[in-house]
Amino acid sequence: MRDFTGHGVGATFHSGLIIPHYDSAPVYDDVMEVGMVFTIEPMLTLGTHEWDMWADDWTVVTRDRSITAQFEHTLVVTERGAEVLTLP
């Protein structure tokens, strides 16, 4: 799923930072810096990466209707590395 990515979190929830979940080098080469907050949102599918959006403008399915899973975590970059903010 290449059209859906993780994103920066800032003054607006979806900031301009794009976090792809596939090898996109060198198109996206932002350096993570202390204080940055962003999401990672990998999507796995047993079929095609092509997708359709339902009329509700929210639900997305693969064109072949294969089994798909999506996960999301929000992280902050600290002096010691990355801290996952969405864990209990």
Side-chain angles (χ1 to χ4, degrees):
M1 302 296 288
R2 295 180 177 204
D3 294 324
F4 299 91
T5 65
H7 54 83
V9 177
T12 60
F13 182 64
H14 291 92
S15 76
L17 183 63
I18 297 173
I19 310 294
H21 302 109
Y22 57 92
D23 184 1
S24 64
V27 176
Y28 300 102
D29 61 358
D30 293 300
V31 175
M32 299 300 170
E33 298 177 9
V34 171
M36 292 178 87
V37 179
F38 60 93
T39 68
I40 55 171
E41 302 183 38
M43 294 183 176
L44 307 170
T45 178
L46 294 179
T48 183
H49 67 279
E50 297 173 323
W51 55 273
D52 291 316
M53 185 168 295
W54 288 3
D56 64 7
D57 288 329
W58 183 258
T59 306
V60 175
V61 295
T62 58
R63 289 215 175 123
D64 63 3
R65 304 304 193 260
S66 61
I67 295 173
T68 304
Q70 186 265 343
F71 305 89
E72 180 172 349
H73 276 296
T74 302
L75 293 86
V76 61
V77 180
T78 70
E79 293 286 345
R80 297 178 311 273
E83 179 181 339
V84 181
L85 300 175
T86 47
L87 289 177

